[in-house]
Amino acid sequence: MFIARFSYDVLPADRPKALEFVRHEVQAARADGLDARMLIPLTRGHGGPALVFEVTLTSLDQLQGVRHRGGGSAEATEDWMRGFSEILRSPPEVEILRVEVS
């Protein structure tokens, strides 16, 4: 099992709009049967993310679908990605973690 974590940096003024974009991302992942959630840091160090999208994957093959999902048609996905990228201060930081089950 794996966890893919996407960290986003946005300006405080853009945070409400970013929340909507990440909520959409969570809903799309859940609609595909994945366990997904949004994490909102209450405190963060210098350079830390403003928002985090986290999804559990059973296979790394699922990562490609998560990266290019916006829900709906290809055009709707493209519009979602374009709108979100307009408020990001930098490209998302992506971490892929393997869950160790003991």
Side-chain angles (χ1 to χ4, degrees):
M1 183 178 327
F2 303 91
I3 295 175
R5 187 175 291 156
F6 301 84
S7 299
Y8 303 112
D9 186 21
V10 296
L11 292 171
D14 292 326
R15 188 173 171 147
K17 193 171 184 178
L19 284 166
E20 288 306 313
F21 283 116
V22 177
R23 279 189 190 107
H24 182 80
E25 197 168 20
V26 169
Q27 291 169 350
R30 288 180 178 167
D32 284 349
L34 299 173
D35 182 25
R37 63 184 169 197
M38 176 172 30
L39 305 171
I40 304 170
L42 298 179
T43 61
R44 60 180 172 147
H46 180 70
L51 296 170
V52 177
F53 165 67
E54 187 175 275
V55 61
T56 302
L57 309 170
T58 55
S59 164
L60 288 177
D61 294 336
Q62 294 172 301
L63 186 60
Q64 187 69 10
V66 169
R67 292 293 309 223
H68 293 40
R69 175 190 303 109
S73 67
E75 185 177 314
T77 298
E78 188 176 309
D79 290 344
W80 173 84
M81 291 174 80
R82 185 180 305 111
F84 198 9
S85 67
E86 288 175 0
I87 64 170
L88 293 175
R89 295 181 65 196
S90 61
E93 182 178 311
V94 181
E95 296 176 273
I96 301 170
L97 304 113
R98 182 173 53 93
V99 177
E100 183 67 30
V101 180
S102 47

